[in-house]
Amino acid sequence: MEMYFFRHAEWERLYNCNLYSVDDVPLEQRQHVFLGTTFIILSVIFMILYIPCIIAVRKYMKKNTCYKFLFFLGIVDILTIPANGIMTGYMAIVGAVFCSYPTFLYFSGPYGYFFWVTESTTAIFLALNRCIEILSPNLADTLYRNGRTWLWIIPPVLYALYFALFTKPVMFNGIYMAWFGNPHLGYIDDPEGITYGNNLHSFHNMLVCFSLTALYFFFIFAFIYKAKSMRHNTNANSSGATQGTNFLQHKTVSVCKNA
């Protein structure tokens, strides 16, 4: 995004709309009325449903640190839906491509980037939190007690800000009804992704896939280890067994909520 403000000549070179006409691709090939309408309707429904979920999660934030992460993720989701749902739906209905609304779509990309990177990175931190909680409650208390959980949210936000401000964004393309780095896709090709590619975006997506998979596999093994430890250390009386079962159920439900 900084290119638009501080390197505008470069922005004009890369995002110049004088090289072709939007109508070189007929409107009927760019419009997706049914899909766009579906996106908008579902987005509104999801936003409405999120409200009671956020309220419910907020009530338990003091009881468990994971609910603070979940509350934050819920807020981020609500702020993301207008871009990936409502805006995408509207652009699909009108058959927009980058040169239909160049400035608007250029700034929409960083908006979507910011919330996607914030959400996915925070999800990694939440998975890490769940693993630490089940392995070492004392360490978890040291890292997350009181307001320290909110400090863990700062790195994802700063990382996402870097994404939004200093990397090339994605923009909506009505021909394929998706968001791409190449603003002229369907008119001018960038086959190797050299001009409009975003290597950090690709790296981040792979990092998210690997990290979440690895952390939750680790959680499964930690869960099994904890269950065996409790089985060995718990007396045969029902009270102790019930406490152990409740502990593991609580941890499992916390992870499932994030998944």
Side-chain angles (χ1 to χ4, degrees):
M1 189 166 65
E2 53 82 28
M3 184 187 297
Y4 183 88
F5 296 104
F6 303 109
R7 295 183 290 138
H8 199 73
E10 179 70 3
W11 187 88
E12 289 283 359
R13 184 182 72 83
L14 294 176
Y15 300 96
N16 189 346
C17 287
N18 295 326
L19 301 176
Y20 58 88
S21 170
V22 169
D23 293 325
D24 288 347
V25 176
L27 180 61
E28 56 269 19
Q29 295 183 24
R30 295 183 275 117
Q31 277 187 311
H32 305 273
V33 177
F34 175 76
L35 287 176
T37 303
T38 302
F39 265 60
I40 293 174
I41 293 173
L42 290 177
S43 296
V44 173
I45 293 173
F46 293 154
M47 291 183 73
I48 293 173
L49 292 176
Y50 254 113
I51 295 174
C53 293
I54 291 295
I55 294 173
V57 168
R58 188 174 182 273
K59 293 180 180 179
Y60 296 96
M61 283 168 48
K62 292 183 179 180
K63 295 183 179 180
N64 195 302
T65 57
C66 77
Y67 288 105
K68 294 178 181 177
F69 283 109
L70 291 171
F71 178 81
F72 178 72
L73 286 171
I75 297 297
V76 171
D77 281 343
I78 291 175
L79 294 174
T80 305
I81 289 174
N84 61 18
I86 297 175
M87 188 189 306
T88 296
Y90 173 77
M91 293 297 170
I93 291 172
V94 301
V97 291
F98 172 72
C99 287
S100 302
Y101 311 98
T103 304
F104 175 74
L105 284 177
Y106 180 79
F107 284 99
S108 298
Y111 178 90
Y113 257 165
F114 175 78
F115 287 111
W116 156 243
V117 175
T118 299
E119 179 181 29
S120 53
T121 307
T122 303
I124 294 174
F125 279 43
L126 174 57
L128 179 64
N129 166 267
R130 295 295 81 209
C131 291
I132 295 174
E133 285 272 8
I134 198 170
L135 279 180
S136 177
N138 290 332
L139 176 60
D141 185 62
T142 300
L143 294 175
Y144 301 107
R145 68 182 174 188
N146 299 327
R148 295 179 187 177
T149 304
W150 301 115
L151 296 177
W152 286 82
I153 291 172
I154 295 176
V157 172
L158 294 178
Y159 175 49
L161 275 175
Y162 177 84
F163 245 98
L165 294 175
F166 299 107
T167 68
K168 293 175 182 174
V170 291
M171 284 144 286
F172 181 79
N173 185 297
I175 300 172
Y176 302 101
M177 199 182 160
W179 295 69
F180 298 93
N182 180 3
H184 310 300
L185 187 65
Y187 299 91
I188 302 174
D189 291 332
D190 180 26
E192 302 297 327
I194 296 174
T195 305
Y196 300 101
N198 188 330
N199 292 330
L200 184 58
H201 184 193
S202 300
F203 169 78
H204 174 78
N205 287 348
M206 290 188 290
L207 176 66
V208 170
C209 291
F210 173 79
S211 298
L212 289 179
T213 302
L215 284 169
Y216 282 123
F217 267 115
F218 180 81
F219 176 84
I220 292 172
F221 289 117
F223 179 90
I224 295 172
Y225 170 79
K226 199 75 175 182
K228 288 182 178 179
S229 297
M230 285 186 171
R231 193 176 300 118
H232 288 304
N233 297 331
T234 302
N235 294 327
N237 66 76
S238 59
S239 175
T242 300
Q243 289 178 4
T245 302
N246 288 342
F247 173 82
L248 292 177
Q249 286 177 343
H250 168 72
K251 297 304 180 186
T252 305
V253 169
S254 296
V255 170
C256 290
K257 286 178 180 177
N258 180 45

